[in-house]
Amino acid sequence: MQHADRFCSWYSSDPADQIPVTPDWWGPAEETGWPHVGECRNCGERGHVWTPPPIAPEVRDNASAFARWMREAISHQAGRLGGSAFVAHRTEADVALMDWHGPTEMIMMEGANPPRRVLRCRECSSADYPCRTLRMAAAPYRFDYPGHRMEWLWAASSSAGGV
């Protein structure tokens, strides 16, 4: 919800209760199916529904490129002839880390700024994607498999200017 220059949010786990405003009883019905202007169900002030824009394509592309490179690097390492039991178990563990620490889309509210959509780690939730765990797991593979990007060694927000 946007109230002049500030934002608040309405969250509900009930799929039938996703309307963030109580509609005005005295006004004409809105044509889009559910009300976009009315009393905020979070704070009670009048406002209108505000939806954050989608995640930037370059952010999605970077996350996809990282996941693809990491899976290929793990497969390359696991498929080497004469691999030790350590390498087999390490690559198996890294595949599990990739599954646990996959990206998920979240809406972030930071102070008076408008809410924004971001990719976060499913497991860490507070970290950028790729999270620190995946960046640390990926780092050794960069020496044996081409295509690693240096920005993957640091948090996404520090390398992408907070995007």
Side-chain angles (χ1 to χ4, degrees):
M1 288 293 300
Q2 183 174 8
H3 308 288
D5 62 343
R6 69 177 188 82
F7 296 86
C8 67
S9 59
W10 167 256
Y11 297 104
S12 173
S13 59
D14 181 358
D17 190 25
Q18 296 297 309
I19 301 172
V21 297
T22 302
D24 296 329
W25 59 270
W26 46 266
E30 294 190 36
E31 297 176 15
T32 59
W34 56 276
H36 292 278
V37 177
E39 183 180 296
C40 175
R41 294 181 71 185
N42 185 43
C43 69
E45 289 185 35
R46 186 158 178 74
H48 72 274
V49 175
W50 189 86
T51 304
I55 293 174
E58 59 271 10
V59 172
R60 285 196 186 279
D61 291 346
N62 186 53
S64 177
F66 173 81
R68 184 174 42 257
W69 176 86
M70 181 75 171
R71 290 191 189 284
E72 289 172 2
I74 291 170
S75 293
H76 171 77
Q77 188 68 26
R80 295 176 97 173
L81 293 176
S84 68
F86 173 81
V87 170
H89 288 289
R90 178 72 256 167
T91 55
E92 186 178 329
D94 289 342
V95 168
L97 284 174
M98 289 287 298
D99 291 339
W100 294 334
H101 291 264
T104 187
E105 186 174 314
M106 295 177 70
I107 297 176
M108 297 293 295
M109 291 189 66
E110 300 164 325
N113 298 324
R116 62 187 180 101
R117 294 178 195 271
V118 295
L119 285 181
R120 295 286 192 222
C121 169
R122 185 181 313 124
E123 184 72 18
C124 302
S125 74
S126 63
D128 291 307
Y129 186 83
C131 67
R132 184 174 187 219
T133 301
L134 289 182
R135 288 183 280 119
M136 290 174 66
Y141 291 103
R142 74 184 196 268
F143 299 111
D144 286 335
Y145 195 76
H148 184 270
R149 299 179 189 170
M150 289 305 289
E151 66 260 23
W152 292 339
L153 292 175
W154 299 281
S157 62
S158 64
S159 65
V163 177

